[in-house]
Amino acid sequence: MKRIGFSGWRYPALALLSLLCMGAAPEKPGGHLEPESRVWNVDRYWDYTSVVRWVFREVFGDDVVLWMHFSPSMGSHEEGFVALKSNPAQILVVHTDVPLFLYSERGRQGGTGFGKMSPADYHNVLPVRCEAAIPPNLGGRIAGAWRRVLLQTRYDETPRRGMDGEYFSFWQRVNDLRVLSGWVWSPEDDSNPGILIRVAFGMQDYCAAQDAAHLKALSSMVGLLEYHLKADEAP
């Protein structure tokens, strides 16, 4: 399966070790999520939201407990979701190379390549998918760390934005009456959102390979995030 996402989010093993050895430090740029409003809750993006929900509709099913949506700032290519399903614990990866933002009204107004879109109707876009079971314990750890990062979501005096880079949106169902959500633009690699992104792409890598080495790497990345969160929560 083709790897989705952005190559800059890979860490060599030595870099992971160095992160574990770091002490407390000032928060990194993009060191927390912002309340979600860029796509899902703002009227001017409603048509883009409709496109995303149609193409990736299985991600919004009742059995999905959390997901990360990623898209380049300029809506160029590689958009998709990495999700976790429950009962039993399964990773779900769904992506497309079609730049979905260009199907929206704002995308059409920009005019960048819309006339060359294929297929011409987003209802005919067929995403590539992957699904893989993981141990229930690991699924629980992912859900726990995911929630702790989402609980750090807050507003900034000056929002972090950019014309280049990548947007990452996170969502998690707490129960039938409550969900958590937040988003970030191109965080520092060793910030909590940056490591959460690595967890999500580690889920994707395991889904593609489904071998012991990638499962161990995913567990280690979750452990790194748990370590950082524990340091944040220390008195």
Side-chain angles (χ1 to χ4, degrees):
M1 175 180 161
K2 179 175 179 255
R3 177 181 173 82
I4 55 178
F6 308 93
S7 60
W9 291 101
R10 287 190 178 275
Y11 288 97
L14 186 58
L16 287 177
L17 181 61
S18 68
L19 287 175
L20 285 171
C21 296
M22 292 171 60
E27 186 178 61
K28 304 287 184 180
H32 61 269
L33 303 178
E34 297 181 41
E36 181 61 87
S37 62
R38 182 182 66 92
V39 173
W40 312 108
N41 301 317
V42 178
D43 288 343
R44 65 178 178 156
Y45 286 108
W46 72 268
D47 59 335
Y48 172 56
T49 300
S50 298
V51 174
V52 171
R53 284 184 173 272
W54 173 268
V55 175
F56 299 112
R57 51 194 178 278
E58 71 175 305
V59 175
F60 298 92
D62 291 340
D63 58 344
V64 171
V65 295
L66 58 83
W67 50 248
M68 179 187 80
H69 170 250
F70 63 91
S71 61
S73 295
M74 297 302 292
S76 56
H77 294 288
E78 294 188 317
E79 181 168 358
F81 285 83
V82 179
L84 182 67
K85 301 170 71 173
S86 62
N87 299 320
Q90 291 180 304
I91 294 168
L92 171 65
V93 181
V94 192
H95 74 97
T96 176
D97 287 336
V98 177
L100 299 183
F101 183 72
L102 297 183
Y103 286 104
S104 70
E105 180 63 30
R106 287 173 61 82
R108 290 195 295 272
Q109 289 173 356
T112 306
F114 180 77
K116 301 178 181 178
M117 293 295 292
S118 179
D121 185 342
Y122 72 82
H123 292 94
N124 296 323
V125 173
L126 297 177
V128 178
R129 72 185 305 280
C130 173
E131 197 163 346
I134 59 172
N137 175 63
L138 180 56
R141 290 175 58 207
I142 292 171
W146 206 280
R147 178 174 179 173
R148 289 160 71 187
V149 175
L150 278 166
L151 287 173
Q152 295 178 341
T153 300
R154 65 180 186 274
Y155 287 102
D156 284 322
E157 187 70 30
T158 303
R160 181 174 166 83
R161 302 287 189 276
M163 293 299 292
D164 200 357
E166 299 83 45
Y167 285 110
F168 300 90
S169 296
F170 297 89
W171 177 94
Q172 185 170 11
R173 178 182 292 112
V174 177
N175 52 47
D176 290 341
L177 300 176
R178 186 187 184 202
V179 299
L180 304 175
S181 63
W183 73 279
V184 67
W185 175 82
S186 293
E188 291 289 325
D189 292 352
D190 56 350
S191 66
N192 288 345
I195 302 172
L196 184 60
I197 292 167
R198 289 298 306 127
V199 169
F201 284 146
M203 293 164 64
Q204 170 200 283
D205 287 345
Y206 174 69
C207 195
Q210 299 192 34
D211 59 22
H214 284 84
L215 187 64
K216 182 178 179 181
L218 173 58
S219 180
S220 296
M221 189 61 66
V222 176
L224 176 64
L225 181 55
E226 291 170 332
Y227 174 88
H228 274 246
L229 290 166
K230 184 177 181 179
D232 289 346
E233 296 160 0

